[in-house]
Amino acid sequence: PIAMLADVASRLEKAVETARTSGASDGVTAQLELLHQLSGLLSVAGEEQVKAVQGSIEASCLGAALLGPPPAVAQLCANVLITIYRRGARTTLYTTVGQLLSWLSNKVSPASAPAAKLATVHLLGGLCAAHGGAMVSLCLDSITLLTKLTRSAEPSVRPMAWAAFGRACTGSGGVPRAAQDEAVKNL
């Protein structure tokens, strides 16, 4: 199983790189297929097997998100990241969430294109929903940022920010009163 997992992770990495260099719409079908295979393999892989390919998978999923993929690819990337942090090492979860927060907070970032921002918001909401209890402070930071994004100048970002906000709240274990008040102001 480790050889298959490593092979699929490597093929996904190549598919994302090919899409990055030739155009974001290229290779969506291949990415979907590989992410689906990866999801299945990760669900039965052992902790050490997941850890062996975790760095490559993280880089591929984040790279795919920055390409501004269709929602199905963004959802599969989120599911794969959720699974690797559940079944592998959690230490890079904090770095990944911090990176997503940074990308969404800065006007000049790899996720500044609307489609990339949508995918990044989707990833952030999914990770907070699944692992919010393990990263309470980062989850609350995410909720605060997602609240701000509900007022985004880009209309397409607003509904995704609200959806991600809802998912992040479910994983947070409780939202402080100030964050609740801010969310209500944005309704």
Side-chain angles (χ1 to χ4, degrees):
I2 185 67
M4 280 182 65
L5 192 57
D7 177 58
V8 174
S10 173
R11 289 182 11 226
L12 176 62
E13 195 172 13
K14 289 176 186 164
V16 169
E17 180 59 25
T18 298
R20 187 186 66 72
T21 57
S22 65
S25 62
D26 287 357
V28 169
T29 305
Q31 289 176 39
L32 277 171
E33 181 182 322
L34 292 167
L35 284 162
H36 183 69
Q37 285 178 1
L38 202 52
S39 186
L41 289 169
L42 287 168
S43 68
V44 296
E47 181 180 342
E48 293 306 315
Q49 294 170 324
V50 173
K51 286 179 181 178
V53 294
Q54 189 164 344
S56 168
I57 293 170
E58 288 170 345
S60 295
C61 287
L62 293 175
L66 292 176
L67 295 173
V73 173
Q75 180 62 50
L76 278 171
C77 284
N79 291 347
V80 166
L81 287 172
I82 288 165
T83 302
I84 64 171
Y85 294 128
R86 187 172 288 136
R87 299 186 60 86
R90 266 202 180 162
T91 53
T92 56
L93 168 65
Y94 313 105
T95 305
T96 300
V97 171
Q99 187 172 31
L100 295 173
L101 286 168
S102 173
W103 288 347
L104 291 170
S105 297
N106 297 319
K107 291 185 189 248
V108 178
S109 82
S112 58
K117 189 175 283 187
L118 286 173
T120 305
V121 166
H122 190 87
L123 289 179
L124 184 61
L127 288 172
C128 288
H131 298 291
M135 50 174 202
V136 176
S137 179
L138 280 173
C139 189
L140 293 177
D141 290 347
S142 299
I143 288 169
T144 300
L145 177 63
L146 291 168
T147 301
K148 290 177 185 171
L149 289 173
T150 63
R151 296 183 310 259
S152 175
E154 301 162 45
S156 63
V157 173
R158 294 179 203 149
M160 182 60 74
W162 277 113
F165 172 83
R167 287 192 307 275
C169 286
T170 63
S172 71
V175 180
R177 183 69 182 174
Q180 292 175 28
D181 291 343
E182 186 65 26
V184 169
K185 285 184 207 174
N186 291 306
L187 289 175

